[in-house]
Amino acid sequence: MIEIFCCCTSSYGQEVNYDENKIPSFTLSDPLALNDGNPVKSVKDWEKKRRPEIMEFFETQVYGKAPEAPKDLRFKVVSEDKQALGGKAVRKEVNIYFSENDDTYMTVLMYLPNQNKKPVPLFVGLNFYGNYTINADPGITITPNWVSNESGTTDNRAKDSLRGSDASGWPVELILQNGYGLATIYCGDIAPDYDNGFQKGVFPLFYTNGQNKPRADEWQNIAAWAWGLSRAMDYFQKDKQVDAKKVAVIGHSRLGKAALWAGATDKRFAMVVSNESGCGGAALSKRRIGETVKLINTQFPYWFCNNFKQYDNNEDALPFDQHELIALMAPRPVYIGSAEGDQWADPKGEFLSGLYAGPVYKLFGLTGMPASEMPPVDHPLLSGQIGYHIRTGKHALTSYDWEQYILFANKFFYHSKDSINCLTSSFI
Ligand code: GTR
């Protein structure tokens, strides 16, 4: 959650454009035209022919291929408190071990509303700085892993005084009161967010003989984070307190890119939420406004697969664009959240991706984005299968964002006609 000051015109030696009038003209690919030019006429054509073409591109040219779930994946509930948060929640922590070795695991922190006797729908998302930062709850285990010093540390080690330091992005009570569980995982449990030559995190577990870094079409951090979200889903399917058919995957910024890729690669996620995911997430790359492919690959060379670098300052060569990533979610609901003060992430490009994914939803008989123009700030579009808002304020995940995501999820997970206007919270 790095704050970007949008007045800058240069970053990493690259000019940054913020002027709509300076966007070069470009052509977007048609999600409903096959690579050979033939039209996609049915849901079957989409599922069997077009979707695989789009997947193949994103998998080998953008995010990189990830391995299957390890055969020896193991789950262990390592803590449980049925009276957490003053009695409002069940809190549990589940370690997911990626190999026989007990050293390589991620910890899923879960809060479930404790008045619910039935399995509950759930939001799951990665966090930036450790599970213990999402709530001041003293029962949350402090991560033993490397953490970024942006979190307030000086030695890359988590510390007790930072409990709850990121709580504004995780309104746990709001989520619980509306009948949802929350699960979150520290992204650094899967792959630490710095360039370490892919020697840390999950990568070395999957190297073949003699391999010491991912191949050009293989996963780097974004795909590894998405892979971790799928491993959490493997667990949810076994947890009787969770309605695994109603799990929404959510992420902010870089972790929003990961949430989108998780939604694309794993159809078990029933809903996908991108909060200000920007370049390499919901924003169209060809607009080249705010952060560009070259800028992101320069600053974060370990996020996307190496093949993606061939599009640095070469967006016209992209045979697909991010609207087709959004289309990969169809027919599942997807919500794209933007912020006015986050021009680096190109809010308009995020909106347009959703809009241009619409024809695929139409093929399923659904309305994608329910408007063809961007709505004014703080006027969420909630009525379609693709939700969208741009809110006032800067780059962050806020309670306002969560309120829209909950209202949107209510339509699909609680099927209440009125649910769209009904948020249960003492905070509102
Ligand atoms: C920025 C990066 C963005 C976004 C952001 C974040 O530095 O350029 O793509 O991911 O970080 O994750 O907060």
Coordinates of all heavy atoms in Angstrom, one line a residue, residues 1-2 4 128 252-255 257 276-279 291 296 299-300 303 344 395, ligand 1:
M1 N 0.8 -1.2 0.0 CA 0.0 0.0 0.0 C 0.9 1.2 0.0 O 0.9 2.0 0.9 CB -0.9 0.0 1.2 CG -2.1 -0.9 1.0 SD -3.2 -0.9 2.3 CE -2.2 -1.6 3.5
I2 N 1.6 1.3 -1.0 CA 2.5 2.4 -1.1 C 1.8 3.6 -1.7 O 1.0 3.5 -2.6 CB 3.7 2.1 -2.1 CG1 4.4 0.9 -1.6 CG2 4.6 3.2 -2.4 CD1 5.2 0.2 -2.6
I4 N 1.3 6.8 -3.8 CA 1.9 7.3 -5.0 C 1.5 8.7 -5.1 O 0.3 9.0 -5.1 CB 1.5 6.5 -6.2 CG1 1.7 5.0 -6.0 CG2 2.1 7.0 -7.5 CD1 3.1 4.6 -6.0
F128 N -0.9 -7.3 3.5 CA 0.5 -6.8 3.1 C 1.5 -7.1 4.1 O 2.7 -7.2 3.8 CB 0.4 -5.3 2.9 CG -0.1 -4.8 1.6 CD1 -1.4 -5.0 1.2 CD2 0.8 -4.3 0.6 CE1 -1.9 -4.6 0.0 CE2 0.3 -3.9 -0.6 CZ -1.0 -4.0 -0.9
H252 N -6.4 -5.8 -2.5 CA -6.1 -4.4 -2.8 C -4.8 -4.2 -3.5 O -3.8 -4.9 -3.1 CB -6.0 -3.6 -1.4 CG -5.5 -2.2 -1.6 ND1 -6.1 -1.3 -2.4 CD2 -4.4 -1.6 -1.0 CE1 -5.5 -0.1 -2.3 NE2 -4.4 -0.3 -1.5
S253 N -4.8 -3.5 -4.6 CA -3.6 -3.1 -5.3 C -2.8 -4.3 -5.8 O -3.3 -5.1 -6.5 CB -2.7 -2.2 -4.3 OG -1.9 -1.4 -5.1
R254 N -1.5 -4.5 -5.4 CA -0.8 -5.6 -5.9 C -1.5 -6.9 -5.6 O -1.5 -7.9 -6.3 CB 0.7 -5.6 -5.4 CG 0.8 -5.8 -4.0 CD 2.2 -5.4 -3.5 NE 2.4 -4.0 -3.5 CZ 3.5 -3.3 -3.3 NH1 4.6 -4.0 -2.9 NH2 3.6 -2.0 -3.4
L255 N -2.1 -6.9 -4.4 CA -2.9 -8.1 -3.9 C -4.2 -8.2 -4.6 O -4.9 -9.2 -4.6 CB -3.0 -8.1 -2.4 CG -1.6 -8.0 -1.7 CD1 -1.7 -8.0 -0.2 CD2 -0.7 -9.2 -2.1
K257 N -4.3 -7.5 -7.9 CA -3.9 -8.2 -9.1 C -3.9 -9.7 -8.9 O -4.4 -10.5 -9.7 CB -2.5 -7.8 -9.5 CG -2.3 -6.2 -9.6 CD -0.8 -5.9 -10.0 CE -0.3 -4.5 -9.5 NZ -0.8 -3.3 -9.9
E276 N -8.6 -1.2 -6.5 CA -7.5 -0.4 -7.0 C -6.3 -1.3 -7.5 O -5.2 -1.0 -7.1 CB -7.1 0.6 -6.0 CG -8.3 1.5 -5.6 CD -8.2 2.2 -4.2 OE1 -7.1 2.4 -3.8 OE2 -9.3 2.4 -3.6
S277 N -6.6 -2.2 -8.3 CA -5.5 -3.2 -8.7 C -4.7 -2.6 -9.8 O -3.5 -3.0 -10.0 CB -6.1 -4.5 -9.2 OG -7.0 -4.3 -10.2
G278 N -5.2 -1.6 -10.6 CA -4.3 -0.9 -11.5 C -3.6 -1.7 -12.6 O -4.2 -2.7 -13.1
C279 N -2.4 -1.2 -12.9 CA -1.7 -1.9 -14.0 C -1.4 -3.3 -13.7 O -1.0 -3.7 -12.6 CB -0.3 -1.1 -14.1 SG 0.7 -1.7 -15.4
E291 N 0.6 4.3 -14.2 CA 1.6 3.2 -14.2 C 1.5 2.4 -15.5 O 0.4 2.1 -16.0 CB 1.4 2.2 -13.0 CG 2.5 1.2 -12.9 CD 2.5 0.4 -11.6 OE1 1.3 0.2 -11.1 OE2 3.5 0.1 -11.1
I296 N 6.0 -0.9 -14.2 CA 5.8 -1.9 -13.2 C 6.8 -3.0 -13.3 O 7.3 -3.5 -12.3 CB 4.3 -2.5 -13.3 CG1 3.9 -3.1 -12.0 CG2 4.1 -3.5 -14.4 CD1 2.4 -3.3 -11.8
Q299 N 10.1 -1.6 -11.7 CA 10.1 -1.4 -10.2 C 9.9 -2.8 -9.5 O 10.4 -3.0 -8.4 CB 9.0 -0.4 -9.8 CG 9.2 0.1 -8.4 CD 8.1 1.0 -7.9 OE1 7.3 1.4 -8.7 NE2 8.1 1.3 -6.6
F300 N 9.1 -3.6 -10.2 CA 8.8 -4.9 -9.5 C 9.1 -6.1 -10.5 O 8.2 -6.8 -11.0 CB 7.4 -5.0 -9.1 CG 7.0 -3.9 -8.2 CD1 6.2 -2.8 -8.7 CD2 7.3 -3.9 -6.9 CE1 5.9 -1.7 -7.8 CE2 7.0 -2.8 -6.0 CZ 6.3 -1.8 -6.5
W303 N 7.4 -9.7 -10.1 CA 5.9 -9.9 -9.9 C 5.3 -10.7 -11.1 O 4.6 -11.6 -10.8 CB 5.2 -8.5 -9.9 CG 5.2 -7.8 -8.6 CD1 5.9 -8.2 -7.4 CD2 4.6 -6.6 -8.2 NE1 5.7 -7.3 -6.4 CE2 4.8 -6.3 -6.8 CE3 3.8 -5.7 -8.9 CZ2 4.3 -5.2 -6.2 CZ3 3.3 -4.6 -8.2 CH2 3.6 -4.3 -6.9
W344 N -2.6 6.9 -10.4 CA -1.5 5.9 -10.8 C -2.1 4.6 -11.3 O -1.6 3.9 -12.2 CB -0.7 5.7 -9.6 CG 0.5 4.8 -9.7 CD1 0.6 3.6 -9.0 CD2 1.7 5.0 -10.4 NE1 1.8 3.0 -9.3 CE2 2.5 3.8 -10.1 CE3 2.2 6.0 -11.2 CZ2 3.8 3.7 -10.7 CZ3 3.5 5.8 -11.8 CH2 4.3 4.7 -11.5
H395 N -5.4 6.0 -2.5 CA -5.2 4.6 -2.7 C -5.2 3.9 -1.4 O -4.3 4.0 -0.5 CB -3.8 4.5 -3.3 CG -3.3 3.2 -3.7 ND1 -4.0 2.4 -4.6 CD2 -2.3 2.4 -3.2 CE1 -3.4 1.2 -4.8 NE2 -2.4 1.2 -3.9
Ligands
GTR1 C1 2.8 0.4 -6.4 C2 2.6 -0.3 -7.7 C3 1.2 -0.6 -8.0 C4 0.4 -1.1 -6.8 C5 0.9 -0.5 -5.5 C6 0.4 -1.3 -4.3 O1 4.0 0.7 -6.0 O2 3.2 0.5 -8.6 O3 1.1 -1.4 -9.1 O4 0.5 -2.5 -6.8 O5 2.2 -0.5 -5.4 O6 0.4 -2.5 -4.2 O7 0.1 -0.6 -3.3

